[in-house]
Amino acid sequence: MTYGSAIMFAVAGVLGLVGIALLLRLRSPSITEPQTYAFRMIGIMLTSGAIVLAMSAAAMWQWSTET
C-alpha cells in the first residue's frame, strides 16, 4: 500500500466515523429542530465523502500496484 493511499483510507475512516456518529445522534430525543437539520446534513455529507474517498484510495492503490 502506498503512503498516499494509507492517508486517504485513514481520513476516510475518520470522516465515516464522525458522520455515522452524527447520524446516530439523531436518535436522541433531546436535540432541537436546527440540530436535527444540521446533524442530518453534515452526517450524510461526511459519510458520503468517506465512501467516495475510500473508493478513490482503493483505485489509487490498485493503479499503483499495476505499474
Side-chain angles (χ1 to χ4, degrees):
M1 180 178 302
T2 64
Y3 184 68
S5 296
I7 290 173
M8 289 172 71
F9 278 124
V11 171
V14 170
L15 290 177
L17 288 174
V18 173
I20 290 171
L22 285 174
L23 291 173
L24 289 175
R25 181 87 194 267
L26 290 171
R27 299 180 74 184
S28 173
S30 64
I31 61 174
T32 64
E33 188 70 27
Q35 286 177 328
T36 300
Y37 175 76
F39 289 173
R40 184 178 296 143
M41 181 179 63
I42 296 168
I44 289 172
M45 293 192 67
L46 286 176
T47 306
S48 61
I51 292 168
V52 171
L53 187 60
M55 290 188 323
S56 294
M60 190 170 91
W61 180 24
Q62 181 182 6
W63 176 77
S64 68
T65 58
E66 289 177 0
T67 58

